[in-house]
Amino acid sequence: MSRTSHVRLLPWCGADGQPAHLVTDGTESRLSRLADSIEATQLDTAREVLKLSRAMLQSLERPTVGELFYVTQRLTE
């Protein structure tokens, strides 16, 4: 009987800076729940950064180069 492996890219890097992966048989684990929680937080943060970025770009006042640099950094995180 063969078991199907599930490989998941985790939302953090390993100690050497390389991508971290979780290989499982598809069942939920403490580590997969932690990854789910971190990914949900990342998505919520990304939505907020996009919302604020859109507001800044649609403002009547033109953003400064520093503000654009800052928001670009946040968008790429």
Side-chain angles (χ1 to χ4, degrees):
M1 179 174 178
S2 69
R3 298 179 91 180
T4 303
S5 289
H6 297 268
V7 179
R8 175 181 183 173
L9 177 64
L10 296 172
W12 56 79
C13 293
D16 58 357
Q18 296 295 317
H21 295 87
L22 176 62
V23 180
T24 69
D25 61 1
T27 57
E28 189 177 273
S29 68
R30 179 182 280 179
L31 188 58
S32 66
R33 287 190 302 274
L34 175 63
D36 289 343
S37 175
I38 290 172
E39 287 171 346
T41 299
Q42 289 173 329
L43 288 170
D44 289 342
T45 301
R47 277 189 280 275
E48 189 65 23
V49 169
L50 284 172
K51 183 174 110 178
L52 295 170
S53 300
R54 284 188 188 108
M56 182 183 78
L57 294 172
Q58 293 171 350
S59 170
L60 295 177
E61 296 180 29
R62 294 186 62 86
T64 66
V65 171
E67 290 169 331
L68 290 172
F69 181 73
Y70 179 80
V71 78
T72 301
Q73 287 179 310
R74 300 296 73 80
L75 289 168
T76 59
E77 289 178 342

